[in-house]
Amino acid sequence: MLTKKSETTQQKIFDLYYSKGMTYERKRDFICQHVVVKPTSKRYGRSYKQYTRTYSLPLDNTQVRVCKDFFLKTLDIGDKLIRYTLSKKQHGTSGGSDQRGKHTPHNKTTEENISYVKQHIASFPVVESHYQRKGTKRMFLEQGLSISKMFELYKTKCLEDDMSPVSEMVYRKIFCTEYNLSFHKPKKDICSTCNTFEQKKKANTITQGDEINIEAHIKRKEESRTEKENDKKVSQSDKSVCAVTFDLEAVLSTPCSNVSQVYYKRKLNSYNLTVYSLANKQGTCYIWDETHGQRGSSEIGTCVITYINSLPPVVRHVILYSDCCSGQNRNQYLASGLLHTVVQHPHVHTIEQKFLESGHTQMECDSMHSSIEHAKKRTSIFVPDQWDTVIHMARRNKPYVVIPLRFNNFFDLKMHTQNNYKNFKTDVEGNKVNWLKVKVLKVSKEMPDEIHVKYEYHEKEFKRLKVAKSVRGRPTQDKNLPRKYKSKLPISLAKKRDLLDLCDSLVIPEIYHGFYNSLLTSKTVKDCLPFPDALEEDIETDED
């Protein structure tokens, strides 16, 4: 038997057994050489065992007999492996070859089922991100979908086609490994700056610079909220001040229905810009669909200017709160539109636009979006004009005011800016202006050729930008803003084909078929997301 050197000996034998040179076959040969099977002796009466095993291990070039437990623990194996190896023993030593991975699992998903899953995933319309990061090839599915929802639709499709569905785990694996797809989601409530800091904190990799940055970020967040609350109180007590928040709701798709076939087709996009008065809690919605306009700075600016022009004569000072999206809200085109508005307006003397801290842009108008999302679940919508009624009835107490917009309502703020203004890059002192850091923008009737900006709420002085073109020292501006569109806009050929398919299957009732048949199409139009909301605050566009 082994002595007290057994621990060292065991380790040597263990290392030998699991060394790189010990293949599957050599390990099985090792077991066969050191486990001997003998018939059971019956000299002492009847025995229920037909055979016995003796175990040995190599020590100093000799075979030392050991007990079964010692043998199994030394090699870190189980009795089942011994029995299997001995059952495969051939010609005295061989325990058989390695058969692992060489047979087909009984529950293996068939190629037919895999192909059917891929066909189902590919049947959903996808769009690309218009303002995507360089080199990104990810495509987007509409926001109403999820993998779970797609799997439920897949099971329904299997019943229709008499197919055996795979499990949700298999469906999810194929979706995640075979496709570069994501779901278009509204802006995230999670702040990327705060989230990154928390991840670094958990990993214990925070630097002094990280702490300085997060402190400044939190300070700006608190300042913006305090500023908004103060302006809210002022507007409630002073009728000459109008303070509002505004934001663009997530895309409203038409038709909107629970019929499963709708999920497989491209749909018309409708856009809804909501304006919420902080003084009287009145909500106003400006709504249009993609055949009447896009959703860039000109469209957003048109809604804001239209709202300001609708204010009662008592209002002298307007304060606008929005998020930091540079393509829609914080750019030279909307700024020039506000300057034109304050100069031409009969009673508004000052307009301020204030931007909340990125990642913390929760506003009162978000409650309007929530109410509308809840209301649309209770009805079916077949043409864009029906959104007017749904939005109007989304709040029973003090219903929202709905203003439909058409293609001839939109101003071309980009053309207006190019024709009337010349400088948005430097202030009067020659310093470069960083529009991505602007927190407050101000225009006034007294300064018809200037835009004033601040990078922080607490700054006392504004940076002055002389932007208006002038003749003999006098600013020149067009009295009327140019129109952006001369006619309705076309949609893609693929989208119209999908919409007509829904008409043919009567998912869209026959009474609405004339509307869809009349839609204009163009080969140059692509189905894309104008702004991927999850990234929009970090992206500079050609409209910055």
Side-chain angles (χ1 to χ4, degrees), residues 224-348:
S224 64
R225 290 183 175 177
T226 300
E227 187 83 2
K228 182 162 69 69
E229 191 61 31
N230 292 338
D231 287 336
K232 179 179 179 179
K233 293 178 180 178
V234 171
S235 66
Q236 289 174 340
S237 60
D238 186 352
K239 293 185 178 180
S240 68
V241 178
C242 174
V244 302
T245 65
F246 72 91
D247 195 12
L248 190 67
E249 187 179 358
V251 172
L252 301 172
S253 298
T254 311
C256 177
S257 172
N258 290 326
V259 178
S260 61
Q261 192 175 345
V262 171
Y263 290 100
Y264 301 103
K265 304 297 182 181
R266 297 167 180 84
K267 294 171 279 293
L268 276 181
N269 296 328
S270 292
Y271 309 121
N272 177 32
L273 185 116
T274 57
V275 183
Y276 186 95
S277 173
L278 298 178
N280 58 17
K281 301 181 181 180
Q282 179 62 63
T284 304
C285 298
Y286 295 88
I287 185 167
W288 67 100
D289 66 68
E290 63 178 297
T291 66
H292 289 281
Q294 301 171 345
R295 59 173 191 172
S297 57
S298 290
E299 287 78 10
I300 303 303
T302 297
C303 297
V304 174
I305 292 170
T306 303
Y307 181 82
I308 294 173
N309 289 334
S310 69
L311 294 174
V314 69
V315 176
R316 297 288 185 271
H317 181 50
V318 178
I319 305 173
L320 308 167
Y321 277 91
S322 67
D323 61 30
C324 307
C325 176
S326 58
Q328 295 175 332
N329 308 324
R330 186 165 59 180
N331 55 70
Q332 55 181 306
Y333 307 121
L334 181 54
S336 67
L338 294 178
L339 179 57
H340 177 274
T341 302
V342 78
V343 171
Q344 301 296 331
H345 206 283
H347 54 81
V348 172

Side-chain angles (χ1 to χ4, degrees), residues 125-140:
V126 296
V127 293
E128 63 182 7
S129 167
H130 186 66
Y131 293 109
Q132 59 187 342
R133 294 191 182 277
K134 187 176 181 180
T136 297
K137 295 182 179 180
R138 174 164 292 188
M139 303 294 285
F140 290 84

Side-chain angles (χ1 to χ4, degrees), residues 282-420:
Q282 179 62 63
T284 304
C285 298
Y286 295 88
I287 185 167
W288 67 100
D289 66 68
E290 63 178 297
T291 66
H292 289 281
Q294 301 171 345
R295 59 173 191 172
S297 57
S298 290
E299 287 78 10
I300 303 303
T302 297
C303 297
V304 174
I305 292 170
T306 303
Y307 181 82
I308 294 173
N309 289 334
S310 69
L311 294 174
V314 69
V315 176
R316 297 288 185 271
H317 181 50
V318 178
I319 305 173
L320 308 167
Y321 277 91
S322 67
D323 61 30
C324 307
C325 176
S326 58
Q328 295 175 332
N329 308 324
R330 186 165 59 180
N331 55 70
Q332 55 181 306
Y333 307 121
L334 181 54
S336 67
L338 294 178
L339 179 57
H340 177 274
T341 302
V342 78
V343 171
Q344 301 296 331
H345 206 283
H347 54 81
V348 172
H349 287 255
T350 309
I351 300 175
E352 285 187 276
Q353 186 179 5
K354 300 182 179 181
F355 304 97
L356 300 172
E357 179 63 12
S358 178
H360 300 277
T361 58
Q362 296 83 3
M363 295 177 286
E364 287 77 0
C365 60
D366 293 338
S367 64
M368 299 173 65
H369 303 169
S370 178
S371 298
I372 295 168
E373 287 295 318
H374 180 71
K376 79 176 189 179
K377 294 178 181 179
R378 296 175 293 180
T379 186
S380 294
I381 297 156
F382 298 109
V383 288
D385 286 346
Q386 291 180 329
W387 284 111
D388 301 5
T389 304
V390 174
I391 293 172
H392 181 74
M393 300 303 295
R395 186 171 68 171
R396 294 182 181 179
N397 183 26
K398 213 171 191 177
Y400 300 134
V401 177
V402 182
I403 311 294
L405 296 177
R406 298 295 180 256
F407 68 90
N408 55 357
N409 297 131
F410 291 108
F411 303 125
D412 192 340
L413 297 184
K414 188 171 185 178
M415 179 182 292
H416 171 74
T417 302
Q418 293 172 347
N419 294 341
N420 295 275

Side-chain angles (χ1 to χ4, degrees), residues 181-246:
L181 296 174
S182 183
F183 299 99
H184 179 56
K185 298 180 180 180
K187 294 171 208 168
K188 295 179 180 179
D189 294 329
I190 299 176
C191 172
S192 59
T193 303
C194 294
N195 187 54
T196 300
F197 181 81
E198 289 299 322
Q199 294 299 324
K200 287 186 175 182
K201 187 176 180 180
K202 290 179 181 179
N204 198 25
T205 58
I206 297 176
T207 64
Q208 186 177 0
D210 293 331
E211 293 180 346
I212 294 174
N213 291 336
I214 196 66
E215 287 177 5
H217 174 70
I218 297 300
K219 183 180 179 181
R220 289 193 299 269
K221 178 197 73 172
E222 293 173 350
E223 282 184 350
S224 64
R225 290 183 175 177
T226 300
E227 187 83 2
K228 182 162 69 69
E229 191 61 31
N230 292 338
D231 287 336
K232 179 179 179 179
K233 293 178 180 178
V234 171
S235 66
Q236 289 174 340
S237 60
D238 186 352
K239 293 185 178 180
S240 68
V241 178
C242 174
V244 302
T245 65
F246 72 91

